[in-house]
Amino acid sequence: NAGVTQTPKFRILKIGQSMTLQCTQDMNHNYMYWYRQDPGMGLKLIYYSVGAGITDKGEVPNGYNVSRSTTEDFPLRLELAAPSQTSVYFCASNLLNRGQGAPEAFFGQGTRLTVV
Amino acid sequence: AQSVAQPEDQVNVAEGNPLTVKCTYSVSGNPYLFWYVQYPNRGLQFLLKYITGDNLVKGSYGFEAEFNKSQTSFHLKKPSALVSDSALYFCAVRAPRDSWGKLQFGAGTQVVVTP
């Protein structure tokens, strides 16, 4: 089982460049999430999706965009990279059905992004 | 608004000794609580969770956690630590009315187990 797969693992961007962080899951999960991890700050939610075609902002969405055209894929787009976006980015997925408790989310291995 | 606090940036423990990683939370209602572990250059791995029922929850790799509603705490414990337990540990909370599975994370606690 591949689980949640993120690419690339590492990337260095120059200020103003754009890139897309890829995330795919093979567990047929309906919910997907993007978090960023900064030292001493824990993980902060950027965007999330409850299914194909449905996305919403999280706690720190500025400077990012997402799309969800399929159940499996949830790419994160940075249009004009800034040094403040230097971080480790994690994609996660979950299978949530009404009334079925609180299943745990599965995380990818992360993308380490440096903006210089 | 919900929040999670992990008061210790780092916990140092000798191998074989008990390990405790502290977590307190603030959320309206009865929360869902999770512990995740992150090994170097890896993603987060699920350890255990509390939803309802028994206050003592057992999880992976010999870890357990105790939910204390009056103290709003969910401390992670292991009776005998191993060097391989050295990692970054995150406590997370999901509000009971959150239907989207959004997690609020603590800042993380680095655990260092020395031989």
Side-chain angles (χ1 to χ4, degrees):
Chain A
N1 286 337
V4 180
T5 303
Q6 293 182 235
T7 57
K9 288 186 170 52
F10 305 95
R11 183 74 185 267
I12 299 175
L13 277 184
K14 294 183 178 179
I15 294 172
Q17 287 185 321
S18 62
M19 77 165 293
T20 299
L21 283 66
Q22 301 291 345
C23 174
T24 187
Q25 53 92 9
D26 63 357
M27 298 173 282
N28 202 30
H29 284 175
N30 48 356
Y31 286 68
M32 297 187 74
Y33 314 85
W34 275 105
Y35 291 88
R36 59 176 287 172
Q37 180 187 20
D38 299 304
M41 301 291 290
L43 281 74
K44 302 290 186 184
L45 182 64
I46 305 171
Y47 270 95
Y48 64 101
S49 169
V50 304
I54 307 171
T55 63
D56 205 351
K57 296 178 180 179
E59 186 179 356
V60 289
N62 291 345
Y64 307 95
N65 278 300
V66 293
S67 60
R68 183 103 180 264
S69 57
T70 66
T71 299
E72 295 79 18
D73 300 308
F74 190 42
L76 177 71
R77 180 81 177 164
L78 284 71
E79 290 293 350
L80 292 170
S84 61
Q85 294 178 305
T86 294
S87 188
V88 181
Y89 292 85
F90 287 101
C91 179
S93 71
N94 206 340
L95 181 62
L96 294 176
N97 294 305
R98 190 177 296 275
Q100 291 190 7
E104 62 273 15
F106 289 77
F107 284 78
Q109 291 197 342
T111 296
R112 185 175 295 275
L113 176 67
T114 303
V115 182
V116 297
Chain B
Q2 61 198 49
S3 65
V4 182
Q6 293 181 242
E8 300 156 318
D9 293 335
Q10 183 164 314
V11 169
N12 299 300
V13 62
E15 188 173 33
N17 283 358
L19 169 64
T20 299
V21 185
K22 296 179 180 177
C23 172
T24 59
Y25 65 89
S26 175
V27 67
S28 298
N30 297 317
Y32 302 133
L33 296 158
F34 302 81
W35 276 102
Y36 284 86
V37 60
Q38 183 182 24
Y39 298 101
N41 300 314
R42 301 291 297 275
L44 276 70
Q45 296 180 27
F46 169 76
L47 279 179
L48 50 79
K49 65 184 176 185
Y50 173 82
I51 300 176
T52 187
D54 194 347
N55 289 343
L56 185 63
V57 178
K58 294 188 183 296
S60 307
Y61 312 121
F63 283 94
E64 59 188 27
E66 186 168 10
F67 171 66
N68 187 318
K69 187 173 183 177
S70 62
Q71 297 185 2
T72 62
S73 67
F74 189 54
H75 301 331
L76 181 70
K77 300 179 181 182
K78 187 172 184 180
S80 178
L82 300 172
V83 172
S84 57
D85 293 328
S86 298
L88 185 58
Y89 290 79
F90 289 99
C91 181
V93 64
R94 175 186 157 191
R97 295 183 180 180
D98 183 320
S99 303
W100 303 275
K102 295 181 289 181
L103 296 173
Q104 183 81 31
F105 284 87
T109 298
Q110 184 70 47
V111 170
V112 178
V113 183
T114 53

